[in-house]
Amino acid sequence: MSERLTLYNYLNVVAFALSWVLNSDVVRGPEAQDQNRFWSGIGNLFNRYESIVNPTSQTYLIAHLILLLEGVFTCVQLLPKYRASIMVQDSVKHWFFLSALMQFLWSVDLGLENMFGHILSVLFMGGMFFSVTRILLHQAANTDSTQTPEEYWLLRFPFSMHFAWAMAVFAMSLNGFFVQMEIGRTAQVVMGIITLLSFIGVSFKMIFRNGPKPNYVVPLVLAWFCTGISVCEQGPKVNLDGTQKLIFNGFAGLTAVGLALVTAVVFVRTEILAKRTDISNDIKDVNNEEDTVYVSAPDNDMGAMA
C-alpha cells in the first residue's frame, strides 16, 4: 500500500475537528448554559436525556479524555510510519468520520420537541454507536501477532474507549426516549436493569470471548459509567420511590464494582501471573539443558580395559 496520504487520512482529520468543535469547551463561554446554540455536544447530553441511567456530570470527564486520545490518533495517522497501517486504512476507514457526522446531526437543534424529533435523536445516536462498533470489529479482525504495543496504544486504544462510551450514551438516549413516552416507574426500572445487563453481557464478551487477548478497556469504561449512575440524583420525570431507587442504584453500584473486580482479576492472571509462569518455565528448560550430561559410548580400548 502506498505511503501517500489517502482520503481516509483526511477524513480522520475532519472527523476529529468536528468532534473537537462539538465536544470541547471551545464553543462554550461562561454563559453557555443560557445560550440557544445551533449545535451541542457532551455538555448537553445530561440535559437532553432524563432517565434512571443518567450518570453524574463528573462522569462525562472521560469523554474529554477520549477526545484527547483521538486527537493523538489523528496526528499519528498522518505520519509516514502509520498512515498506511491496516489499523487506519482497513479498520478505521470512513467510520470515524461517520460517527462524528452522526453526532453532529444529533446535536443540531431542529426545534422538534415531539415524538418524531425524539426518534431522530435516538437514530442519530445509534448511528454514532454503530460507526464506532464497526471500527472496533475491523481492528480486532485485522490484528495479528506482529502488532506492536505502540500501534495498540496509538491506533486501537482510543476507539476501545470510544466504543464503550458510545454504547453507554446510546443506552442513555434509548432510556430517555422511553421516559419521553411517559412510561411508568416500574417499566423505567425494568429498562434500566436491561441496560445494566447489556453492559454486563458486552463486558463478559470482551473479557472471556474476545479471542486470545481480552479487551480490558470496555468493561472498565462501562464500570465508570455505572458508578456515575449509582450515585446520580434522578430528575422529576423519573423520581423513583425509595425502594425502587435503592434497588436500582444498588444494582448499578454492584455492576460497577463487579465489572472492575473481574477485569482486574483477569488482567492479573493473564498479563502478570501467566507471563511470570512462562518465564519460570523457560528458565527451567534452560537449566535442564545445561545440567544434562551427554554420555558417549566407550571406544573398544576402554571397553577392553573395563
Side-chain angles (χ1 to χ4, degrees):
M1 185 178 291
S2 173
E3 292 188 358
R4 297 177 58 185
L5 292 173
T6 68
L7 176 62
Y8 293 147
N9 298 113
Y10 293 117
L11 283 179
N12 289 332
V13 175
V14 175
F16 174 72
L18 185 56
S19 295
W20 183 72
V21 170
L22 288 171
N23 298 320
S24 73
D25 291 331
V26 69
V27 295
R28 301 180 189 143
E31 302 177 356
Q33 297 298 328
D34 300 325
Q35 295 175 358
N36 182 19
R37 293 178 294 157
F38 179 63
W39 58 59
S40 56
I42 295 170
N44 197 42
L45 290 176
F46 190 83
N47 298 323
R48 178 172 292 196
Y49 300 126
E50 185 177 326
S51 69
I52 61 175
V53 297
N54 274 28
T56 59
S57 58
Q58 291 79 9
T59 309
Y60 295 95
L61 292 174
I62 196 173
H64 295 286
L65 174 60
I66 294 171
L67 186 65
L68 175 63
L69 292 172
E70 289 181 340
V72 174
F73 161 81
T74 302
C75 295
V76 167
Q77 60 97 37
L78 295 175
L79 300 177
K81 183 178 179 180
Y82 298 109
R83 63 179 56 163
S85 169
I86 192 173
M87 291 291 106
V88 176
Q89 299 298 330
D90 295 338
S91 301
V92 177
K93 300 173 69 173
H94 55 276
W95 294 111
F96 184 29
F97 171 76
L98 285 180
S99 70
L101 180 62
M102 288 296 103
Q103 186 180 349
F104 171 76
L105 294 175
W106 167 85
S107 67
V108 173
D109 185 4
L110 299 176
L112 297 176
E113 295 298 331
N114 52 23
M115 185 60 64
F116 178 69
H118 296 316
I119 292 175
L120 280 181
S121 179
V122 172
L123 289 177
F124 288 144
M125 194 58 71
M128 184 187 75
F129 173 54
F130 175 79
S131 299
V132 180
T133 301
R134 297 301 298 173
I135 296 176
L136 193 75
L137 292 176
H138 284 308
Q139 287 191 332
N142 290 323
T143 298
D144 54 30
S145 58
T146 62
Q147 185 186 62
T148 63
E150 64 180 9
E151 285 179 309
Y152 169 78
W153 290 107
L154 295 173
L155 305 180
R156 287 194 63 187
F157 180 72
F159 294 106
S160 289
M161 292 193 70
H162 196 166
F163 165 80
W165 177 250
M167 178 184 180
V169 171
F170 176 59
M172 189 170 67
S173 70
L174 200 57
N175 278 266
F177 170 75
F178 286 106
V179 171
Q180 294 295 331
M181 293 179 62
E182 299 182 353
I183 63 175
R185 295 176 182 175
T186 302
Q188 291 182 35
V189 173
V190 171
M191 282 294 301
I193 291 177
I194 291 174
T195 298
L196 296 177
L197 291 176
S198 70
F199 291 169
I200 295 173
V202 170
S203 298
F204 179 87
K205 189 273 177 188
M206 292 296 173
I207 297 174
F208 298 106
R209 295 291 185 270
N210 199 52
K213 295 292 291 182
N215 186 320
Y216 306 107
V217 180
V218 171
L220 289 178
V221 174
L222 293 177
W224 170 259
F225 194 85
C226 290
T227 301
I229 293 174
S230 67
V231 297
C232 184
E233 292 291 333
Q234 286 89 22
K237 292 184 179 179
V238 180
N239 194 25
L240 301 179
D241 61 37
T243 303
Q244 289 176 327
K245 181 178 179 180
L246 180 63
I247 292 175
F248 181 75
N249 287 358
F251 184 53
L254 288 175
T255 300
V257 173
L259 292 180
L261 284 179
V262 171
T263 304
V265 169
V266 174
F267 176 81
V268 170
R269 294 182 61 180
T270 305
E271 305 299 332
I272 300 178
L273 298 181
K275 290 182 178 180
R276 286 182 179 177
T277 302
D278 292 339
I279 293 174
S280 298
N281 291 336
D282 291 341
I283 294 175
K284 289 180 180 179
D285 291 340
V286 171
N287 290 337
N288 289 337
E289 291 179 0
E290 291 177 349
D291 293 340
T292 301
V293 177
Y294 297 94
V295 180
S296 58
D299 52 27
N300 293 332
D301 293 338
M302 294 295 295
M305 291 176 64

